[in-house]
Structures are given as C-alpha cells and as structure tokens.
C-alpha cells in the first residue's frame, strides 16, 4: 500500500483562503482547491470536511488575520475616529498586494445560488455581527455626547458597512488603494457633528 502524502493543514488552509478569495465560494471547485493545496480529494475531506466546512474555516482564518484591525478601531476615543480607522483599515485589507483584491465575504456572497444558500446566510450573519458592533459603538458615543442625539446609530452603521461593501466590489474590479482612500475621504466629510 502506498504511503499517503503528508501536508501542513495550516498552510493548506492559507492556500484555500487565497483561492476562495480570488474565485468566490461558487467559483471555486474542489479540483481548484486540491490542485492549489497540492493534496488529494480524500486528504482534503479528511482534514477539512466538505467544501462548505473548508470555506467556513477559511472565513474564520480571514477574520483572525485580515479583519482583526476592526476591534482595535472600535476602541478609538471618538466615534468619528473609530469609523475612519475602520474604513481605512478595510481599504488596506482590500488592496493588500500580498492577497487577491477585494473581500472574501463579499466575493463569496455576491454570486451565491440557491444551492449555496447556507453560505450566503453565513456571510450575511457575519456581516451583521460587524454592523451591530459598530451600531453599539455609535450608541455608546451618542450616550457620551460624541454623536448627535438626533442621528440613528443603526442608520449610520448600515451606511458605513455599505460604503465598505461598495469599496470591496470596487477593489475586486481593480480600483486602486489611492482611489479607495478618496472614497473614505468623501464618506468622512458626511460625518455628522455632535452638538457642542
């Protein structure tokens, strides 16, 4: 009996992340993954489960490695600074020259068919966690007098996330880091001023 080829599961997961990020969930086949990872189908299934399980693990890795800036950004002393750090940090992730352009969550969700509904729902749920975290930060800012009392934190969180999603689509289409930074500049010009 032949010996099974050994591989580093962590390295394989990083490779899978790049493949999914470049092609999206539905655009990635098991053959794409096994070829890029340098492993056989049985090895992939044994180490990671099915494609859906592997994608969820790559989402966890993506959040740990690429979106970790968001927690720190929300700790900024003012709501405006927190939002600006979120948007500028996201631009850095979207245009990282060491990774495919765009966002794994957006690239994965945009082209999901009914067959991949559970993945689409997973991506939406993760995005809502981020939006809710931002809303909570803005609600705190409002109660601290750092955000106008007549503005709705949920509306602003939705707006900021929508700007981010739009930037992700633009980045995947080749928009430069500099152009996306100008999008942030415009978005921040619309930021409401708290009464003094």
């Amino acid at each position: 009996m032949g010996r099974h080829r050994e591989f580093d599961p962590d390295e394989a997961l990083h490779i899978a992340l790049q493949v999914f990020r470049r092609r999206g969930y539905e655009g990635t086949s098991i053959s794409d993954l096994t070829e890029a990872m340098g492993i056989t189908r049985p090895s992939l299934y044994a180490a990671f489960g099915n494609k859906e399980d592997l994608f969820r693990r790559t989402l966890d890795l993506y959040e740990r490695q690429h979106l970790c800036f968001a927690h720190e950004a929300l700790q900024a002393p003012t709501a405006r600074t927190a939002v600006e750090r979120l948007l500028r940090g996201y631009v850095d992730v979207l245009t990282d020259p060491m990774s495919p352009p765009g966002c794994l969550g957006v690239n994965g969700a945009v082209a999901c068919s009914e067959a991949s509904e559970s993945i689409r729902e997973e991506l939406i749920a993760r995005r809502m966690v981020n939006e809710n975290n931002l809303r909570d930060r803005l609600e705190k800012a409002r109660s601290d007098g750092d955000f106008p009392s007549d503005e709705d934190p949920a509306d602003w969180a939705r707006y900021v996330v929508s700007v981010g999603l739009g930037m992700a689509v633009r980045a995947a289409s080749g928009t430069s880091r500099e152009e996306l930074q100008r999008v942030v500049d415009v978005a921040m010009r619309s930021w409401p001023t708290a009464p003094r």
Side-chain angles (χ1 to χ4, degrees), residues 111-155:
C112 273
S113 69
E114 283 185 27
S116 302
E117 184 63 20
S118 65
I119 290 296
R120 193 179 76 76
E121 289 172 1
E122 172 88 12
L123 292 167
I124 290 168
R126 288 178 186 236
R127 186 170 58 240
M128 287 309 300
V129 167
N130 295 327
E131 186 173 315
N132 291 338
N133 288 341
L134 178 55
R135 182 204 62 219
D136 293 347
R137 173 65 178 89
L138 296 177
E139 285 175 352
K140 180 185 181 315
R142 186 169 65 177
S143 69
D144 292 345
D146 178 45
F147 190 75
S149 60
D150 60 341
E151 293 287 348
D152 184 347
D155 287 345

Side-chain angles (χ1 to χ4, degrees), residues 62-73 93:
Y62 181 73
E63 287 176 357
R64 282 192 313 273
Q65 288 197 330
H66 298 278
L67 302 181
C68 55
F69 72 90
H71 176 74
E72 186 176 318
V93 169

Side-chain angles (χ1 to χ4, degrees), residues 90 94 161-171 180:
Y90 198 43
L94 298 173
V161 168
S162 296
V163 170
L165 294 173
M167 290 191 310
V169 171
R170 297 291 307 252
L180 294 178

Side-chain angles (χ1 to χ4, degrees), residues 6 10-11 18 20 25-26 32 35 37 56 59-60 86 97 100-101 106 108 119 130 136 172 175 184 191 193:
E6 294 193 19
D10 290 334
E11 182 181 333
Q18 297 304 311
F20 279 127
Y25 177 75
E26 286 208 354
D32 294 331
E35 183 178 321
M37 297 160 82
R56 283 190 166 91
L59 282 172
D60 293 340
L86 276 175
V106 174
I119 290 296
N130 295 327
D136 293 347
T175 300
V184 175
W191 190 253
T193 305

